[in-house]
Amino acid sequence: MTLLVTGGAGFIGANFVLEWLGRSDERVVNLDALTYAGNPENLVALEGDERHIFVHGNIADRALIAGLLAEHQPRAVVNLAAESHVDRSIHGPGDFVRTNIQGTYNLLECALEYWRGLDAAANSGFRFLHVSTDEVYGSLEPDSPPFTEATAYQPNSPYSASKAAADHLVRAWHHTYGMPVLTTNCSNNYGPLQFPEKLIPLVIANALAGEPLPVYGDGMNVRDWLYVSDHCSAIRAVLANGRPGEVYNIGGWNEMPNIDIVNVMCDLLDELRPRAEGPHRELISFVKDRPGHDRRYAIDARKIERELGWRPAETFQTGIRKTVQWYLEHPSWVANVQSGAYRRWVDLNYRQGS
Ligand code: NAD
Ligand code: TYD
């Protein structure tokens, strides 16, 4: 049996593939375009492992995808490939439209043709699992209930709009063509291997370099944080037992304002890597807000808990400690991803008054 995973050199994809092959001998064909966010170093542990077939390519490449499906006959496609960073989507939405919308469309088209050609047993077992985000639901008021699977889509950023468009295509391929799709909408992830453009790894990398810790606006935007391996276990649960055509929200019931996240991390760093000049909180710097910055996300995860028995294994306290420790133990991973291209991004996004 084989899985076709897309985006498996990125943060969640690499964690997913590493965990998958740590738990089962089912082969993984891992297709990744190796954009700035795709890092082959994330997969070094799988070098020489015949169960892992890495393919450097784009989900929007029709001939490539059709060829991979025909050659490897996967029982499922798990689509994690995406442009994933809200700030980058504000500076340049084109790649988000091309990968998140057109790329997903291409995967659906190829998968539909492949699925229709399968024999009866393979056809009924096939799944197309599309990994999406809670950001498609838009921004919550402080006292609103968390997002359920029935919450109306109200995406506000080019990133979330492109993910919402992809989710709608996936839904339509089920309703129109009967394709056995599954969609997951997860809250903010954190953990090992996350590119230091996102809040949590950025704070760790900057703190270790003695640089300012940029907090957008008043720091009171709320996100619902989930440790990455809990997202991976949820994807496995949905793939194994999710009902085709259904959507599953994934979250850890852990809403926190950004400033609280940064303070917790500063205190952890004070304990694990004290700074001679003073506490890490002294590095916190409130900067100009992100345009259109969504105020609050929160996930109601009762459906996946009830139907699939999924629960997160980590609390925020245990997950953030593991995360900080991982970054402290892997300084060369951080140094390697902080390439010239990364420095240019930092200059563009955080330059004075931008
Ligand atoms: P990431 O940016 O770290 O990784 C994305 C990966 O996709 C990279 O390896 C990149 O090279 C690859 N990729 C990009 N464009 C591609 C293309 N056209 N063809 C093939 N590969 C391509 O992202 P992530 O944080 O690991 O997110 C993975 C998925 O999970 C995304 O779909 C994202 O929307 C979703 N998600 C992320 C979070 C989060 O907090 N990070 C939360 C919920 C959902
Ligand atoms: P991010 O990690 O980019 O995830 P998302 O925008 O998808 O939720 O940001 C998480 C929160 O942290 C978000 O409210 C924006 C905020 N943030 C900062 O305050 N400073 C930063 O430098 C970054 C990257 C994010």
Side-chain angles (χ1 to χ4, degrees):
M1 303 282 261
T2 302
L3 288 190
L4 172 60
V5 174
T6 72
F11 163 48
I12 301 170
N15 276 287
F16 179 79
V17 169
L18 290 166
E19 283 193 21
W20 185 270
L21 292 172
R23 306 169 63 91
S24 111
D25 279 335
E26 186 171 1
R27 279 192 328 161
V28 172
V29 177
N30 182 352
L31 172 75
D32 197 295
L34 297 181
T35 68
Y36 78 93
N39 182 357
E41 201 182 329
N42 294 347
L43 301 164
V44 280
L46 298 174
E47 254 168 39
D49 190 328
E50 287 174 359
R51 301 168 307 161
H52 179 241
I53 299 160
F54 183 78
V55 181
H56 181 198
N58 199 306
I59 57 167
D61 182 338
R62 191 159 190 163
L64 174 68
I65 304 296
L68 288 175
L69 291 168
E71 181 186 349
H72 296 288
Q73 300 281 304
R75 68 164 175 105
V77 174
V78 181
N79 181 30
L80 290 133
E83 289 293 337
S84 68
H85 188 31
V86 173
D87 293 314
R88 286 185 194 255
S89 82
I90 294 166
H91 289 282
D95 285 343
F96 290 73
V97 171
R98 278 184 287 278
T99 286
N100 300 359
I101 305 178
Q102 290 169 351
T104 304
Y105 162 68
N106 184 56
L107 276 182
L108 285 166
E109 280 291 76
C110 294
L112 178 62
E113 200 177 323
Y114 166 72
W115 172 67
R116 283 177 165 163
L118 291 172
D119 64 39
N123 177 282
S124 73
F126 181 75
R127 297 289 182 271
F128 184 102
L129 192 156
H130 175 66
V131 175
S132 190
T133 164
D134 60 356
E135 305 193 22
V136 297
Y137 296 120
S139 188
L140 287 168
E141 295 300 323
D143 51 356
S144 300
F147 305 127
T148 71
E149 291 77 2
T151 302
Y153 274 32
Q154 287 192 316
N156 292 318
S157 72
Y159 164 65
S160 55
S162 68
K163 293 295 291 185
D167 295 7
H168 290 323
L169 292 174
V170 171
R171 175 186 162 90
W173 260 242
H174 175 73
H175 282 268
T176 305
Y177 307 114
M179 214 165 93
V181 305
L182 299 156
T183 299
T184 57
N185 293 88
C186 188
S187 60
N188 283 60
N189 284 211
Y190 66 98
L193 306 178
Q194 187 168 29
F195 195 85
E197 62 186 354
K198 305 278 170 65
L199 179 68
I200 286 181
L202 181 96
V203 164
I204 301 171
N206 283 18
L208 294 180
E211 289 176 10
L213 312 179
V215 175
Y216 295 163
D218 63 0
M220 291 307 291
N221 298 68
V222 171
R223 299 291 183 264
D224 190 348
W225 295 92
L226 185 70
Y227 191 63
V228 62
S229 64
D230 284 324
H231 187 186
C232 294
S233 72
I235 295 171
R236 291 195 299 271
V238 173
L239 186 61
N241 294 312
R243 289 180 291 132
E246 290 292 314
V247 173
Y248 295 89
N249 282 359
I250 303 169
W253 305 98
N254 183 65
E255 285 185 62
M256 282 173 77
N258 294 335
I259 189 63
D260 289 1
I261 296 283
V262 176
N263 281 330
V264 166
M265 294 175 67
C266 285
D267 296 349
L268 254 179
L269 284 160
D270 288 345
E271 176 197 328
L272 299 172
R273 187 68 61 86
R275 188 173 158 263
E277 297 84 347
H280 285 92
R281 286 188 188 210
E282 287 175 7
L283 293 172
I284 293 173
S285 164
F286 288 89
V287 299
K288 191 173 192 294
D289 208 354
R290 169 189 284 171
H293 194 176
D294 282 340
R295 196 66 177 162
R296 175 178 166 236
Y297 304 140
I299 281 280
D300 181 334
R302 278 177 297 180
K303 178 176 174 182
I304 188 170
E305 292 172 359
R306 189 177 62 244
E307 290 194 11
L308 305 180
W310 174 84
R311 294 276 185 293
E314 303 292 341
T315 63
F316 186 72
Q317 284 65 31
T318 59
I320 195 68
R321 181 173 283 274
K322 284 185 180 180
T323 303
V324 172
Q325 273 167 340
W326 186 87
Y327 281 87
L328 291 177
E329 285 160 12
H330 294 82
S332 65
W333 184 92
V334 177
N336 289 346
V337 297
Q338 287 182 318
S339 63
Y342 176 78
R343 295 313 316 171
R344 281 196 296 283
W345 161 251
V346 169
D347 291 344
L348 176 69
N349 194 49
Y350 298 98
R351 77 176 164 232
Q352 206 65 31
S354 67

